[in-house]
Amino acid sequence: MGVPFRIFGSAMHSWRNCMPAGMCLKSEGFASNLYDPEGSLTLAAYCAARGLHYQDVGYPIPIETFIQYGLEFQRRLVPTLEETDITRLERTSDGFALQTVDGQALSARRVVLAVGIVHFGYVPPALSGLGPDHVSHSSQHHDMGTFRGRSVAVVGAGASAVDLAALMHEAGAAVHLVARRAAILFHSPPVEPRPWLQRALNPRSGLGLGWRSRFCTDAPLLFHALPLQLRLRAVRNHLGPAPGWFVKEKVVGRVPMHLGAELTRVVVRDRHVHLTWARKGDGESTLVVDHVIAATGYRVELQRLRFLDERLRQSLRSVADTPVLTTDFEASVPGLHIVGLASANCFGPLARFAYGARFAARRLSRSLGDARLWF
Ligand SMILES: Cc1cc2nc3c(=O)[nH]c(=O)nc-3n(C[C@H](O)[C@H](O)[C@H](O)COP(=O)(O)OP(=O)(O)OC[C@H]3O[C@@H](n4cnc5c(N)ncnc54)[C@H](O)[C@@H]3O)c2cc1C
């Protein structure tokens, strides 16, 4: 669109640092492309060029393949990336002032925050007081080897929790899975080809099967126009915690699971964590482990973006501590745009996945291209 820009951050940061080595993507191959307008570097093309196995549907993509694909994508299509962090962002009379971690000062008329998940790891209050030796968030772990020979409780029932439990078990840790849910809702393996009636009743989309997911991928602007409470409920409930089908055999019968377990007391005694929970009709149980991992997901809270100047943070209009955005991803502070996970309450679950990048990139670049005419 001819809009001059600078881009900061670390390519594939969350995939290289905040997710476990050895995991596979839950999104299907066709839904795991990084977006460029010409479609010149799809995941399928990347894999074909390297002789790596690939299928549009039904073959879990190893995270290592996706990371290498992303790094190649950045080298070829975004070579101007500056691998440094922004440590301060504040509003000025004609735009924004930014500071990088290495002390550079710069200014911009507009800023796009695409900070993804990295600032938003959520640890529930029952665990948050334990201290870093005894509790950590799932996003702090990439190399499972560091847990070999240790006892670990993974708290959670979603993909992060089950992936971590499986990989830690394989790496030689004594892992327990503890979850409030009464059952782990594994995805079903895809069956292809499907009869026409199945396809009509349950269409495939970049977010999985079903008309709800299809609505989310095809109509994010309609989603934006839905009443607030309906949007919040849809983002909370649609595509809830569910591990991929391919992890099931790695945990069932191998990793002890304590389900329907509501944590009632967590204390550190003799350098071990004593985790006590209650189960309906089943009294209390206590597990003693070296370390607890909260695989309890991500919660967007604008206040956690500490690099935003306090006044800028306070002046952002928000609902449930997530930003209120126009259909051009613009926040209540003019010139500040926010995409990715933090935009999900406005544009729906699509914003949480790689598949959503196409909509965000096209919509935002068009709007920035138009805005250029006015400044
Ligand atoms: C365990 C797990 C499994 C997942 N599996 C899938 C999947 O299978 N398919 C899928 O589509 N999605 C999956 N996701 C969601 C995934 O996180 C998103 O799809 C994707 O990472 C979003 O990309 P993003 O660029 O918005 O954010 P991120 O990938 O989180 O990237 C954020 C970027 O912001 C930069 N940044 C942050 N703060 C600053 C700062 N102050 N200054 C400069 N740069 C900064 C970081 O360096 C990084 O480059 C998964 C998430 C998790 C946690």
Side-chain angles (χ1 to χ4, degrees):
M1 303 297 294
V3 180
F5 69 92
R6 290 176 72 176
I7 173 169
F8 303 91
S10 161
M12 303 304 281
H13 173 89
S14 59
W15 299 89
R16 285 192 290 162
N17 299 284
C18 309
M19 302 184 201
M23 77 165 222
C24 287
L25 269 64
K26 240 171 57 168
S27 53
E28 297 287 1
F30 82 93
S32 304
N33 293 314
L34 299 177
Y35 174 72
D36 79 286
E38 268 118 52
S40 58
L41 190 51
T42 60
L43 181 58
Y46 173 83
C47 290
R50 276 157 192 78
L52 299 172
H53 187 85
Y54 170 88
Q55 283 172 213
D56 277 343
V57 174
Y59 174 72
I61 308 293
I63 190 173
E64 286 70 22
T65 300
F66 189 64
I67 290 172
Q68 290 311 319
Y69 163 59
L71 293 176
E72 176 71 13
F73 189 99
Q74 181 265 311
R75 279 192 292 270
R76 275 170 51 180
L77 296 163
V78 199
T80 57
L81 173 69
E82 298 174 48
E83 293 252 353
T84 182
D85 270 2
I86 300 298
T87 47
R88 188 166 175 79
L89 170 63
E90 62 187 323
R91 211 174 163 186
T92 58
S93 54
D94 60 349
F96 299 90
L98 297 92
Q99 188 150 24
T100 65
V101 75
D102 42 3
Q104 267 188 79
L106 49 133
S107 61
R109 281 200 192 283
R110 288 175 182 270
V111 170
V112 179
L113 291 183
V115 295
I117 60 172
V118 290
H119 300 269
F120 300 124
Y122 171 73
V123 178
L127 299 174
S128 59
L130 291 192
D133 285 349
H134 294 108
V135 72
S136 52
H137 186 260
S138 54
S139 62
Q140 291 169 257
H141 304 291
H142 181 67
D143 174 12
M144 298 301 104
T146 54
F147 285 98
R148 183 170 300 121
R150 299 185 72 197
S151 57
V152 184
V154 177
V155 176
S160 292
V162 179
D163 280 342
L164 272 175
L167 293 162
M168 283 185 173
H169 171 75
E170 283 173 5
V175 193
H176 290 252
L177 197 65
V178 181
R180 211 166 37 187
R181 286 181 172 242
I184 307 271
L185 305 174
F186 291 95
H187 280 230
S188 305
V191 179
E192 289 288 331
R194 298 184 305 142
W196 72 267
L197 187 62
Q198 275 279 342
R199 280 183 277 139
L201 293 175
N202 227 4
R204 185 172 294 292
S205 80
L207 299 188
L209 295 182
W211 280 106
R212 280 187 192 185
S213 291
R214 188 62 180 266
F215 172 77
C216 292
T217 56
D218 293 9
L221 287 178
L222 260 182
F223 189 97
H224 188 282
L226 293 175
L228 173 66
Q229 289 310 324
L230 186 56
R231 277 189 279 127
L232 296 182
R233 206 167 52 238
V235 172
R236 217 173 26 245
N237 298 334
H238 188 54
L239 306 174
W245 55 271
F246 43 86
V247 204
K248 193 170 180 177
E249 62 179 25
K250 296 183 175 188
V251 287
V252 174
R254 293 169 193 249
V255 172
M257 296 187 197
H258 311 280
L259 304 179
E262 191 76 49
L263 290 181
T264 51
R265 205 168 49 254
V266 185
V267 289
V268 175
R269 211 175 295 141
D270 303 328
R271 292 193 290 146
H272 287 87
V273 188
H274 295 237
L275 211 57
T276 303
W277 61 80
R279 256 195 306 226
K280 259 194 195 142
D282 189 22
E284 282 197 334
S285 313
T286 297
L287 177 70
V288 181
V289 288
D290 295 327
H291 192 84
V292 181
I293 297 181
T296 36
Y298 294 82
R299 271 197 198 170
V300 175
E301 292 170 21
L302 281 174
Q303 299 311 318
R304 293 176 66 181
L305 294 178
R306 307 308 293 183
F307 67 95
L308 299 191
D309 158 69
E310 170 85 23
R311 270 203 313 173
L312 174 57
R313 245 185 294 140
Q314 298 304 339
S315 55
L316 283 171
R317 239 187 95 209
S318 63
V319 167
D321 215 5
T322 66
V324 174
L325 302 172
T326 67
T327 52
D328 290 330
F329 292 88
E330 191 163 12
S332 57
V333 170
L336 184 67
H337 300 260
I338 302 180
V339 299
L341 177 67
S343 68
N345 281 344
C346 294
F347 295 96
L350 176 65
R352 289 167 26 200
F353 297 92
Y355 199 70
R358 179 176 190 270
F359 167 71
R362 286 163 67 98
R363 180 90 200 156
L364 188 51
S365 54
R366 253 185 230 147
S367 134
L368 295 184
D370 291 346
R372 212 159 63 98
L373 302 174
W374 298 94
F375 290 106

